[in-house]
Amino acid sequence: GAWGGAGGGSGSGIQGPWGGGGMEGGAVGRARWTLFAPAVLVGVTYGLLWALLALLGRGDGVIARTALIVFSLGTPLLLMYGFLRFNSVWITAAEGQLWMARGWPRITSTRIPLDEIDRIALAQSFIGRWFNVGEIVVHLHNGRQMKISDIGAPGAVRQRLHAELMRSRGMRAP
């Protein structure tokens, strides 16, 4: 979808504002494919290291064995982590509430009434700007902050959430 991931439900099993699992209907922000980058990087790096050492006749050495162990255990574990986060991170505004699920390993969703929100900000690193991924920071009137990371197209997501916040206050978003 246009909001940083596939449209429709998240399939996470998290109870969302529409009674189903996740964010059916009003999806605003989802996790980005970049969650899988560490698994790909580890898999390629350690797989190529092991293959190179094996081709050079050093496939039975300590470094080659370590590379093979990291490749064969680390890559699937990182892929599983990326998959679980990808399917459980989302944020949306509906029914006068901001709904957010920070994703695995914290499989919980949070509901914040829009009238408790002071502002919605965006935090992005240099790499995040490069891959168009970032963190949405929700500032509450009581001084607390709620953060949700790994959101794709975070500028567009923040803009849409801000517009919904302004609409709930009877104002037009700039």
Side-chain angles (χ1 to χ4, degrees):
W3 300 107
S10 68
S12 65
I14 297 170
Q15 189 71 16
W18 299 273
M23 52 176 196
E24 288 82 1
V28 173
R30 286 203 49 179
R32 188 81 164 181
W33 63 266
T34 52
L35 285 169
F36 297 100
V40 171
L41 184 63
V42 165
V44 168
T45 301
Y46 285 94
L48 287 176
L49 176 61
W50 176 79
L52 177 66
L53 289 170
L55 285 173
L56 294 174
R58 303 215 177 236
D60 59 346
V62 174
I63 294 175
R65 289 181 191 163
T66 302
L68 186 58
I69 289 170
V70 171
F71 172 76
S72 59
L73 295 177
T75 304
L77 289 174
L78 287 170
L79 283 172
M80 184 172 38
Y81 172 79
F83 177 78
L84 291 170
R85 283 216 26 100
F86 184 80
N87 286 301
S88 62
V89 171
W90 53 267
I91 186 167
T92 191
E95 303 172 1
Q97 314 273 335
L98 181 74
W99 296 77
M100 57 195 287
R102 292 188 208 139
W104 194 83
R106 295 172 285 194
I107 306 292
T108 59
S109 62
T110 302
R111 177 183 54 88
I112 305 165
L114 291 177
D115 60 1
E116 291 182 16
I117 297 173
D118 180 39
R119 63 189 171 93
I120 299 171
L122 165 64
Q124 269 185 307
S125 67
F126 170 75
I127 299 290
R129 282 189 294 280
W130 196 33
F131 286 107
N132 198 20
V133 66
E135 180 177 71
I136 301 293
V137 184
V138 180
H139 297 268
L140 305 178
H141 289 299
N142 65 11
R144 289 185 55 214
Q145 292 181 1
M146 305 287 287
K147 298 177 181 179
I148 182 166
S149 301
D150 304 318
I151 296 294
V157 171
R158 186 218 161 268
Q159 185 177 19
R160 189 151 171 208
L161 292 171
H162 180 72
E164 186 63 31
L165 181 61
M166 292 295 105
R167 215 176 351 271
S168 76
R169 294 176 179 169
M171 308 162 121
R172 286 187 69 165

